Each structure stands twice: as structure tokens, then as C-alpha cells.
């Protein structure tokens, strides 16, 4: 009964036999057609062709504009993917600047938050999410239903490399 919009693979796809990949993809995309929904599969390291899956960069991104869509999965914290005591949270400005850079190069951001065991989102994370929401209210037209830049890279604010775990750049 589950109808996921996104199937996200965390790498190591070579451990699954190719016939299994093909059966899964056929099943998922055929079900999506029956559901009348657009769906997405992500992988790391070009496990599937770009016509089939979106490449995912964990806590990273491309350093250049691309002609293909891609995804960054990142966390609202400075490190952990889950709630821990004394979790350090990124500022809204940091998240927004990374988000703008990602979208401008034809990427999407999948932002992880870290609720506590009881499901409560701590105030510091909630504050960042609300600030992002306020920014989107004012500037959403620069994000929603847009297309990537035609030319990229002005000034000294260019990442040195593409890939996973490339870090943040101050703008």
C-alpha cells in the first residue's frame, strides 16, 4: 500500500544482481504510472543512467553547472544525521546559501532534520526551518519552477571540486 515519491539508495548497488535492479525499477515505475504520480530514484556514483535515476551527493554538490538534475542530501546539523545531545545546528543563512548554490546548478536539496526520540523537533531546528520558510515566502519565485543558470561562476565563490562531503562555502 506504500506509494513512495522517492526511493533513495545509499550506494553499494553493485552488491545487488542486475536482474534484481531491472525488476525493481520496472515494478516501481510501472506502479507510479498506475498511481498517476511522478517518482524519483536516487543513487550515488552513477549506479543507473541519468535517464533512470538522479545522482545523489551526500553533504556535497557539483562545482559546476550541469545539464542533468542531481540531488544533495544534507543535514540541518553540523554533523550527525540523528538527534544527539549538544547537536550543533547550521544557521538559516548557511542552509539558504547552500540551497541557492545547489538550485542554481540544476540540483535539489533533501534536508534532513533530527527530531528527538519522542518526535519533537527541537526549537533551534524549528527556528531554522521557519527562517527558510520566511525566505521562500519572499524569494520563492527564484526557486520554484525555475531553471538553472545559463552561465555559472562569478567571483571567488566557486567550490574547488564536485562530490560528496565538499563542505560549505561562505558567500
Amino acid at each position: 500500500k506504500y506509494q513512495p515519491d522517492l526511493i533513495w539508495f545509499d550506494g553499494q548497488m553493485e552488491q545487488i544482481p542486475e536482474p534484481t535492479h531491472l525488476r525493481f525499477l520496472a515494478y516501481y515505475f510501472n506502479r507510479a504510472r498506475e498511481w498517476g504520480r511522478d517518482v524519483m530514484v536516487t543513487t550515488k556514483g552513477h549506479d543507473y543512467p541519468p535517464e533512470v535515476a538522479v545522482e545523489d551527493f551526500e553533504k556535497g554538490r557539483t562545482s559546476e553547472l550541469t545539464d542533468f538534475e542531481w540531488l544533495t542530501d544534507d543535514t540541518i546539523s553540523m554533523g550527525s544525521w540523528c538527534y544527539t545531545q549538544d547537536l550543533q545546528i547550521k544557521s538559516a543563512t548557511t542552509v539558504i546559501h547552500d540551497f541557492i548554490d545547489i538550485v542554481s546548478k540544476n540540483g535539489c536539496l533533501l534536508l534532513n532534520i533530527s527530531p528527538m526520540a519522542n518526535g519533537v523537533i527541537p526549537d533551534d531546528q524549528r527556528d531554522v526551518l521557519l527562517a527558510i520558510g520566511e525566505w521562500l515566502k519572499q524569494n520563492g519565485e527564484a526557486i520554484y519552477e525555475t531553471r538553472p543558470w545559463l552561465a555559472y561562476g562569478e567571483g571567488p565563490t566557486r567550490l574547488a571540486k564536485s562530490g560528496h562531503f565538499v563542505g560549505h562555502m561562505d558567500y
Side-chain angles (χ1 to χ4, degrees), residues 18-37:
E18 187 171 344
T20 303
H21 287 262
L22 297 176
R23 279 194 313 274
F24 163 75
L25 291 170
Y27 175 84
Y28 184 55
F29 291 133
N30 288 332
R31 291 301 85 69
R33 184 179 302 151
E34 290 173 10
W35 305 329
R37 302 212 339 255

Side-chain angles (χ1 to χ4, degrees), residues 9-67:
F9 288 109
D10 196 15
Q12 311 253 338
M13 299 299 287
E14 69 279 354
Q15 295 184 21
I16 301 170
E18 187 171 344
T20 303
H21 287 262
L22 297 176
R23 279 194 313 274
F24 163 75
L25 291 170
Y27 175 84
Y28 184 55
F29 291 133
N30 288 332
R31 291 301 85 69
R33 184 179 302 151
E34 290 173 10
W35 305 329
R37 302 212 339 255
D38 291 327
V39 297
M40 181 169 60
V41 173
T42 69
T43 62
K44 295 180 179 177
H46 305 289
D47 292 314
Y48 295 138
E51 299 82 16
V52 174
V54 174
E55 185 172 2
D56 172 56
F57 297 98
E58 183 175 346
K59 295 187 178 191
R61 54 191 182 273
T62 65
S63 60
E64 299 291 330
L65 175 64
T66 66
D67 60 355

